[in-house]
Amino acid sequence: MSREIIAILRGITPNEAVDVTEALIDAGISKIEVPLNSPEPFDSIAKMVEVAGDNALVGAGTVLNTADVARLKSIGAQMVISPDANTEVIMASKASGMLSFPGVFTPTEAFAALRAGADGLKFFPAFKLGIDGYNGVKVVLPKGTKTYAVGGVGPDNFAEWQAAGITGFGIGSNLYKPGLSVAEIAARANDMVAAYDAAFSA
């Protein structure tokens, strides 16, 4: 099963990249994001792309400009995840053959992103929008729009969000924090996958 869990590895370093990627893939997480405000993010992404092969989609988060999109394309990244609905970044990502997941909060941002070609919408911060807020926005979105809850989501509320119709999740500090061992990250990843499977197979 291809799980709609995006691992957000904010703060990861290149020397951790390979081991953490392998641990996530082994746990069943196949979408991996390195925010560009991490140390040497392009080096980490390049290593992850190489080790992941066809087993995972690897990309960057906190992508703010088209120059970074071009650099990501050159190292083989497959996803561009931005904190805002920057239409130039979205269109450049799509023109480069990469998936685009911009951050949105309102219907205006959501539709601007979709018109620019976004593959899915990252609702952030999800804990502030809440399920009621998400339901209010979702009702006007085109049928089949992929939506991801990011920020304040985890195994404890996967089932509630799934019931509201969310496609998936972006998981940051509940999964990875600088200083965690690979074994700790693997254990958290396994817990995430078990909770996701329970919520989405019910």
Side-chain angles (χ1 to χ4, degrees):
M1 131 183 231
S2 179
R3 298 172 182 89
E4 294 286 358
I5 301 173
I6 301 172
I8 304 169
L9 308 180
R10 190 177 305 279
I12 196 167
T13 58
N15 66 339
E16 301 172 89
V18 169
D19 289 345
V20 172
T21 299
E22 289 176 338
L24 292 173
I25 292 170
D26 286 347
I29 294 176
S30 58
K31 294 177 177 66
I32 302 170
E33 165 194 342
V34 177
L36 292 186
N37 55 3
S38 303
E40 301 176 86
F42 294 99
D43 291 344
S44 292
I45 292 166
K47 289 185 174 189
M48 291 175 166
V49 166
E50 186 174 352
V51 74
D54 295 332
N55 295 315
L57 294 172
V58 178
T62 320
V63 180
L64 300 174
N65 58 67
T66 57
D68 285 339
V69 173
R71 189 171 175 188
L72 289 165
K73 176 63 176 175
S74 74
I75 60 172
Q78 298 144 305
M79 295 190 300
V80 173
I81 300 163
S82 37
D84 61 344
N86 182 325
T87 56
E88 289 184 0
V89 168
I90 297 166
M91 289 188 286
S93 302
K94 296 311 299 171
S96 298
M98 292 184 285
L99 298 172
S100 171
F101 300 102
V104 303
F105 197 76
T106 66
T108 299
E109 294 166 342
F111 278 101
L114 291 173
R115 289 186 188 111
D119 294 281
L121 304 174
K122 179 184 84 171
F123 282 92
F124 176 83
F127 72 94
K128 284 294 186 186
L129 182 65
I131 289 173
D132 285 348
Y134 170 71
N135 280 328
V137 177
K138 179 190 73 173
V139 74
V140 299
L141 294 177
K143 188 174 181 181
T145 299
K146 288 192 168 188
T147 56
Y148 299 81
V150 182
V153 293
D156 292 345
N157 56 20
F158 278 176
E160 295 170 58
W161 281 98
Q162 187 277 333
I166 204 79
T167 302
F169 307 96
I171 307 293
S173 57
N174 282 337
L175 180 60
Y176 172 87
K177 292 181 199 171
L180 289 177
S181 69
V182 174
E184 289 171 315
I185 296 162
R188 291 179 177 213
N190 283 317
D191 288 345
M192 293 282 171
V193 166
Y196 179 95
D197 288 354
F200 282 79
S201 63

